Structure formats: C-alpha cells, structure tokens
Amino acid sequence: MRSRFVLAALAVALPLTGAAARELRVGYSADIVTLDPANHRSRVTEGVIHNMYDAVLTRTVDMKVVPEIAQSFRQIDATTYEMRLRPGIKFHDGSPLGVEDVKFTFDRLTKDGAMEGKTSPRKSLVGPLAETEIVDRLTVRFKLSAPWPVFPAYLPFNQVVSKAYVEKVGSDGMATRPMGNGPFRLVEWRKGDSVILERFPDYYGGASDIPPVGPARIDRVIFKIIPEPASRVAALLAGEVDLVDELPHHAIKQVEANPRTKVLKSNGTRSFFIDFNTTKPPFDKVKVRQAANHAVDRKLVIDKILNGLAVPLTTLISPDSFGYNPNLEPWRYDPALAKKLLAEAGYPNGVDVTLDVDNPFKEQAEAVAAMLTQVGIRTKVQLWERTALTELWKDPSKHDRNMNFRSWGDGALDPVGIFVPVLKTKDRGNFSGYSNAEVDRLLTAADTEPDQAKRSEYYQKAQAIIREEAPLLFLWLPQDVYGASRRLVDWEPSPRGIIKLHRAALAD
Amino acid sequence: MRPSALLERLLQLVPVLLGIALVVFLMMQATPGDPVELMLGDALATPEQREALRRDMGLDRPLPERFLHFLGNAATLDFGQSFHHRRPVADVILERLPATIELTLAAMAIAIAVGVPLGVVAAVRRDGWIDRLATILGLAGVSMPGFWLGILLILLFSVQLGWLPVSGRIGFGAEVPPVTGLLLVDTLLAGRPASFLEALRHLLLPAVTLGLAMAALLMRVTRTSMLEALRQDYVTFATAKGLPRRRVLIRHALRNALTPTVTVAAIETGTLLGGNMIVETVFGWPGLGRLVVEGIFTRNYPLVQAAVLLYAVTYVLLNLLADVLQTVLNPKVRL
C-alpha cells in the first residue's frame, strides 16, 4: 500500500526533472513593471532589462565606469562628451546598431513628449543633456546645457534601443515585446510570474574591460518572481532556482549549511540614518545631536539585529562612494560623553522625544531608542506607514515630531545622488531642516566642477562639516545578500544590485 | 426567476457602482502619499521631471474634472493608464485575472468537496468522534494563517519530499496557446496531458492552502444548518413514513440545509476572486491580489479604482447567483 503511494507520487513528480542542461533560474523578490528601458523608475525592472539591453557605459563589479557598447568615451569640455561606437554590434533581429540608434535613444529620453506624447520618467537620469549629435558613422557627441560632471556615472542607467524597431512597435510594443542588443533575448514574459530569456548567439561580447568577452555562457535565464522570502529560500533549497536575491538574514545559516548552496554578499547603496528635526528643540542644538550620535552602539545593533551584515556610517556617504572622506573619525560609542554633551546643551535631566519609523525597521528603531533613552534622550517609538511619514516630514518646520528613522538609496554611488538631496538647504530629501551656507556652497560648486579631484575635495570638506554638526543620527549601510546554488560560477554581486548574467556559468 | 426581476437586480448595479467609484476615488485621494514621489523614489529627478510625470498621469487637473473623466472613460471600459506599468490598466488587470480565477475555482472545489460532506457527517453523528474531529479541524482551519500553512506545505512537499513545485503556475518549458487563460483548460484544449499534469501539480498547494480555510468555514455552516434541519418536523415525518435514512438525509434535510452554505460559498468566491495577496505571495502565484496591494502601496490610482470596480461587479453578480440558486434549492423562495 505504502509503496504504491510512493510510486504514484513519483509518477506525478517526474516532469520536474526534464529541465534543460544550461538553464539558470533566478528567484526574484519583486515584480517588474515593463521591459522598455526608457519607461520606468524601478530598479528591479532595470535589473532584468540589463540582461537584454546594453548601455553606452557600464560598471565593473567594483563600480568603475567603463565603456560597454562604446569603444571609447571621453570628455571634450565641461559640457561636451564624445563616444566612439564599437562597430559590429547587432540587435536581436540581426540589424546593426548604429549611431542613429544612440541618438534616437537619448532623444527619446530627453525630449518632452517623445514617447507618443509622454515624457520619459528617466529624463532626469541624463541630467542637463540637451543635444545628441551624430558626428560621423561611429561618433556621437553629447552636448549638455550646463556642466554635470556625473554624466558618465549615470550613463549605465540608460540602455540603447533600436530606432527602427521603436518606430515600428511604439512604446506599447516596447513594454511587452522588447528587442535589444544584450546577451539575452526575450522568449516569454509571463506577467507577474516570470521572464524567460535565451542566449543571443550573435552578441558582440560586452564590455571589453570586463573579461571574459563573448556570448553568454548559459542557454536560458529565467527570472521567477517569488515575493515571499521564505518561499524564495525554499525554492533555492529545493533546487528549483539557482540564485535568489534579498536572502533573509535568518536563512543565512541554513543556506550556508546546505552542501548544494552558498551565500554571496556585497555592500549595498542604501544608507540608514535618523533625521533630527533641527528646526525645533531639542535637536536645534548641535550638542544634543552629537550626544545622540555618541549614544548609539552601532556595532551592537549590526551584530545582533543585522547579523553583522552592515557597515557603520560616519556620515551618510558609503565607503564605496565617490568623494568619500576616509579621514573622519568614526562615531565612538560613549554614553558618558553623550550624557555630558546633553547636560552642556541644557538638558541635565534628559529630554523626552519621539522617533517615527515604519514597520519593517521597527526592531532597529527600538534598539536605537533604548540606547538613546539610557543616556537621557528618552525616546518613544511610533509606527507609521512609510508614505504617510514622508508626507508628514517633508517640511520639518510644520510639525513637532523629533526624529524620523529612514534610508536613502544612491545607485550611482556619487554624493550628488544622496548628499545633495538629503542635506542641501530645502532640497527634495532634506527632512531634517538642516541648512548650512558653507555646505550649500561646497555642494553647489561640486555640482558643476569638471575636475574630479577638486569635486571630491569639495565633498570631503562638506562631510567634515556634517560630521561636526551632526544634522542626522548616522547609522549603517546594510549589505545585499544573495543565496546561490554551488553550480553557479563566475557571477558575483556588486553594489549596483543588478543581476546581469552574461558571464555567469553553471558548473557540471 | 422572472426576467424582469433579473433586469431589476442588474439595474441596481448602476447606483452601487457609482457610489463605490466615488468612495474609492476619494479614499485614494485622501490617502497621504504622492504617486509621483513614490514612483521616482530617491533617485535623481528635477522639478521639471516631476511636473512632466504629473501631467502624464493627469494629476495636474482639478479633482472633480479627474473624477468625471474617470467615470466617462470607465463607461467605455477604459480605465486609463497604470502609473507604473505605463500601459492601459485594463490590460494589466486582465493579464492577472485568469490566474486568480483558476485558483479560486480550484480552492472552492476543494472547499465544497471537503467541507460539505464533513459538515453533514458531523451533524448526523453529532457528538461522535467524527463531529469532534471535524470541530477541531474546523477551528484549526479557520484560525490557521494562510502564509503559515502555505510555508509548512512548501517545506514538507517541496523541500523535504520534492514532490511538488514551490511556486508558479506551470513549468518554464511548457508552451500553452492561451484560449481561456485557465491553464488546466488550455492544456487540455491543446491536447497536452503532460502540461496539464504539470499545471495541476503547481496548482495543488496554493489551492489546498486557500481551500482548507474555506472548507472549515463551509463545514461549520453546513453542520449548523444541518442540525437545524434535522430537528424539523418534515424530517421526523419523512422518517416516520419509513423512508430510507439516506434519502431522508439527502433529499429532505440536506437540500434545505444547503441554503446558507450556498450563500456563504458564493460570497466567499467573490472574496477569493479579489485575489488573495498572502497565498499569491507565498506561492509566487501571478494573480490579482498582489498586483492590487502593490497598487495601493504605490498609490497607483487608476489601477486600484478599476480593480475595486471589478470587485464590486463580481460581488453583486455572485450574490445574484446565490439568490438564483436559492430559488432552485427552495421553490418557496421567489425573487
């Protein structure tokens, strides 16, 4: 009886084992919204698109910007850049990729109403790019209306499309039937379920600075959307997928212990911090803010709550970022000093404050609150929905809340994408109400400074001021954690957070 | 049922839908959060970019104009563009609907097949061991959270035993020409029994997870109304007439007892058709629930409005269906 049951179960289970030899499956945590590179603002979507489309420039694993479909790329003057196209690149339909396609791609991104009357939501990601000019058969010039030194750093975000194809199928067609130039081409997009890609045999090989150069080494790639972390882990352990993103911390030991799977990590690009409302007491006083920064044992929270998977921050800039100042003294955990600073600021008996947070970060916020309370900054944690919190904190002079636990992501790893919005006076992400004329001056100068060494110097100076004035409670930068099958080789994660599988291979 | 009664019920839909459209529209507006900011996130965006997006989304117009525009277009089944997908909302929803319908029908089939017989047996053998067991199972089924049961089933059947897949609707190799969108039907229409089996294996765990909770509910409702029916005079009379026990139970008692069960089943089907975010998330099932919940979080107004209207229509129609079924079960009931 029992054996009959097992036999029946086996018969039902059989079709599972017929998988193709070199098929790589990715358990992906979030749903993608489109396959048109110019029509979204979603990083998870971009991650899938990168396997189908290449850009003018790309980044190495250690975040260096290098040419991708460009053979060379140079800056001519403060507002002009020139690329030379690598000859012989083909689109998935076999047509050659020419300079007209490059121009069309950037016109579609920058011109208002270029997408059937609508404007690309990625327009800001090419900065003040005004004109894209064809110089000759292989040369394109990018003319900016104002200096924007991070132009090359943002080019990897924008992939090149085929002019003829977009004109044929329109933006609606591009959303669901993409036709790219990347290492893989689309087989089928099952909405909400999976994206199935196959190797493009005529691929030109990818960035010549990132070996090995050549067509993809696997035949098929499948991005399978599995939003629930526990199910993603289960799929990895069951051998249904070979790579998962956003591996939950509690599963790390289990994945490491399994002989068939391994854990991969990389620094992320999202800094965590707490806004002080610097427009109102008690956090209008620098010493109270410094006291709070000395009251938090970052290492303890990282070890106990974040499983050691984060680096403590001295300001809000990642150590991997351009312009990072390595000479600033990290915040020392020193409750006695914190109490002393608090007393000097006029709060010898402590002070009662609120800390706002949304549900996913409740535990971390409570740990921080407990430490603040120990030195006399008696902190009450309140839970909100993130969107409501953002709305509330937009203008700190209009509310009486004291602290806001949040994060800011910066995929380009350049202070222009994090320092400026969060700490420049009245900028879009400045919720602390912080305003310092010297910091503003340095950030504005860096915005247009063509000399990268000088730019870096401006940012480093600005960080030194921020370290002293502590407008935020600087916390940590978590790592991105992936789980992978041991079969997966030649793929490592990078701070970009993008799973590009062109060079990945499967052992055995 | 009289055709005029049916027409009357359908006409009642109009004010219901108008009211719901207005309430949902206002609720979405009143919810804090700017769709433009939510879409742009932290990455670079100039004020001009924000304005362009706001225009593209139609958010630069006054509120009453936007509502009337939405109503006018909805009358022609045009629900506008999804903010994030930047494609027509109707397309985005229709892509997800078949998966939800398939899962709902499978879960309801399991619920009825398990819940109703168990409820009947529990009532007939009241206080016997089956009744006690059913009561315990019923309590467990209703109170067990879906994500917990789902994960347990995955750990047992997918990870430990390796019998069933963790997630998805069908294998990646299968190519099934879409006809109805229901894979169990389409695979058979295409004459591919292997793919049919594969789709069935994928459907099994999510359907059981959803179906068991529903079975518990139907069991409890059936048991209660069956106990009530068994106390009625007509059952005593039928037994006294010397009719066989089985016939008394099925023809006389059960038929009357089923009335509340049918209503509950119809309403629950309506709920299931809204998509079950939790079960869809656990099993990576590409249904409507996840899409709509994401839409709420990202303040994707057009998507949420269209989905809620769809839910309203589904609910009203299923209630109507329940009423029609009542008239079949009990000729005394008239609409």
Side-chain angles (χ1 to χ4, degrees), chain A residues 31 39 41 124 231 240 409, chain B residues 42 44 49 86 96 166 282:
Chain A
D31 212 350
N39 213 0
R41 279 302 281 256
S124 315
S231 310
E240 258 181 56
Chain B
D42 298 343
L44 278 192
Q49 173 93 76
R86 315 245 312 158
R96 298 291 194 95
V166 175
V282 170

Side-chain angles (χ1 to χ4, degrees), chain A residues 492-505:
Chain A
E492 53 178 315
S494 89
R496 268 182 111 181
I498 274 169
I499 299 181
K500 183 157 186 170
L501 294 161
H502 161 210
R503 294 173 179 87

Side-chain angles (χ1 to χ4, degrees), chain A residues 5-6 9 12-16 23 25 31-34 39-41 112 115 117-125 148 150 154 172 175-176 187-194 196 220 222 224-228 230-231 234-235 237-238 240 270 385 387-388 391 394 407-409 416-417 421 428, chain B residues 31-34 37-46 48-50 52-53 55-57 81 84-88 95-96 147 151 154-155 158-159 162-176 194 197-198 201-202 280-287 290-291 294 296-297 299:
Chain A
F5 176 62
V6 172
V12 179
L14 271 177
L16 188 70
E23 178 173 288
R25 299 174 182 178
D31 212 350
I32 63 164
V33 294
T34 180
N39 213 0
H40 67 90
R41 279 302 281 256
D112 281 328
M115 307 177 77
K118 297 201 169 169
T119 306
S120 168
R122 298 181 82 74
K123 183 178 172 174
S124 315
L125 298 179
W148 197 56
V150 285
Y154 275 80
D172 274 357
T176 53
V187 176
E188 190 185 356
W189 177 17
R190 298 180 182 168
K191 317 279 185 320
D193 180 76
S194 53
I196 304 173
R220 263 158 75 95
I222 291 155
K224 169 78 191 84
I225 292 144
I226 312 177
E228 164 59 39
S231 310
L237 295 177
E240 258 181 56
R270 184 161 281 278
E385 192 212 12
T387 327
E391 208 56 28
K394 256 183 186 167
S407 66
W408 192 275
V416 83
R428 62 198 163 90
Chain B
T31 320
D34 179 351
E37 299 293 334
L38 283 167
M39 179 166 172
L40 291 173
D42 298 343
L44 278 192
T46 56
E48 295 78 45
Q49 173 93 76
R50 274 154 226 279
L53 262 179
R55 255 196 321 277
D56 285 353
M57 294 176 177
Q81 298 257 325
H84 291 256
H85 304 85
R86 315 245 312 158
R87 284 191 293 135
E95 286 159 5
R96 298 291 194 95
F147 67 88
I151 298 274
I154 287 178
L155 287 179
S158 308
V159 179
W163 290 352
L164 295 169
V166 175
S167 74
R169 289 183 75 193
I170 197 165
F172 301 113
E175 280 170 39
V176 185
L197 267 184
E198 210 185 339
R201 292 177 57 243
H202 280 81
E280 285 173 14
T281 302
V282 170
F283 291 99
W285 191 262
R290 239 165 66 204
L291 182 76
E294 268 163 38
I296 293 172
F297 281 131
R299 307 290 186 263

Side-chain angles (χ1 to χ4, degrees), chain A residues 481-492:
Chain A
V481 190
Y482 301 80
S485 148
R486 289 197 177 273
R487 297 198 310 147
L488 175 66
V489 291
D490 292 341
W491 183 82
E492 53 178 315

Side-chain angles (χ1 to χ4, degrees), chain A residues 246-448:
Chain A
E246 308 251 333
L247 187 72
H249 289 176
H250 63 77
I252 289 175
K253 279 200 185 115
Q254 198 183 3
V255 171
E256 272 171 348
N258 189 309
R260 291 201 314 252
T261 56
K262 59 184 173 185
V263 174
L264 301 169
K265 299 168 204 167
S266 136
N267 272 357
T269 54
R270 184 161 281 278
S271 300
F272 279 76
F273 54 89
I274 291 173
D275 297 297
F276 295 122
N277 186 344
T278 63
T279 67
K280 306 227 166 104
F283 292 117
D284 53 343
K285 295 209 168 61
V286 173
K287 284 196 172 167
V288 181
R289 307 198 298 248
Q290 290 173 337
N293 268 293
H294 280 297
V296 176
D297 188 348
R298 295 165 178 77
K299 202 178 164 306
L300 184 69
V301 182
I302 291 172
D303 286 347
K304 297 294 172 203
I305 299 182
L306 298 166
N307 289 44
L309 295 166
V311 290
L313 287 174
T314 307
T315 70
L316 79 169
I317 305 291
S318 155
D320 296 326
S321 171
F322 174 84
Y324 172 71
N325 188 336
N327 304 316
L328 299 177
E329 194 199 338
W331 291 97
R332 196 175 66 252
Y333 169 57
D334 190 341
L337 177 61
K339 278 183 196 157
K340 187 169 156 271
L341 287 166
L342 197 60
E344 284 171 18
Y347 297 100
N349 301 320
V351 58
D352 291 290
V353 292
T354 56
L355 172 57
D356 298 329
V357 68
D358 56 336
N359 203 34
F361 305 105
K362 177 172 165 264
E363 203 184 355
Q364 298 172 33
E366 279 170 349
V368 171
M371 292 174 184
L372 291 175
T373 302
Q374 271 181 1
V375 303
I377 305 173
R378 291 179 296 269
T379 307
K380 212 179 119 205
V381 175
Q382 186 174 342
L383 275 184
W384 301 70
E385 192 212 12
R386 176 47 55 190
T387 327
L389 213 43
T390 305
E391 208 56 28
L392 172 74
W393 270 81
K394 256 183 186 167
D395 187 348
S397 64
K398 287 199 180 134
H399 64 78
D400 288 316
R401 313 290 308 166
N402 303 117
M403 291 190 278
N404 176 30
F405 187 105
R406 67 167 170 146
S407 66
W408 192 275
D410 169 36
L413 281 179
D414 188 292
V416 83
I418 177 164
F419 204 142
V420 175
V422 177
L423 288 171
K424 202 172 170 183
T425 302
K426 293 215 181 268
D427 214 301
R428 62 198 163 90
N430 185 334
F431 293 176
S432 60
Y434 180 67
S435 174
N436 177 305
E438 179 60 9
V439 170
D440 288 354
R441 193 190 65 77
L442 288 165
L443 294 180
T444 311
D447 255 353
T448 52

Side-chain angles (χ1 to χ4, degrees), chain A residues 57-79:
Chain A
L57 304 178
T58 186
R59 281 179 189 265
T60 60
V61 171
D62 48 7
M63 297 302 278
K64 231 177 85 197
V65 177
V66 295
E68 191 162 43
I69 69 160
Q71 192 150 49
S72 60
F73 187 88
R74 66 189 180 119
Q75 182 164 17
I76 299 201
D77 58 42
T79 55

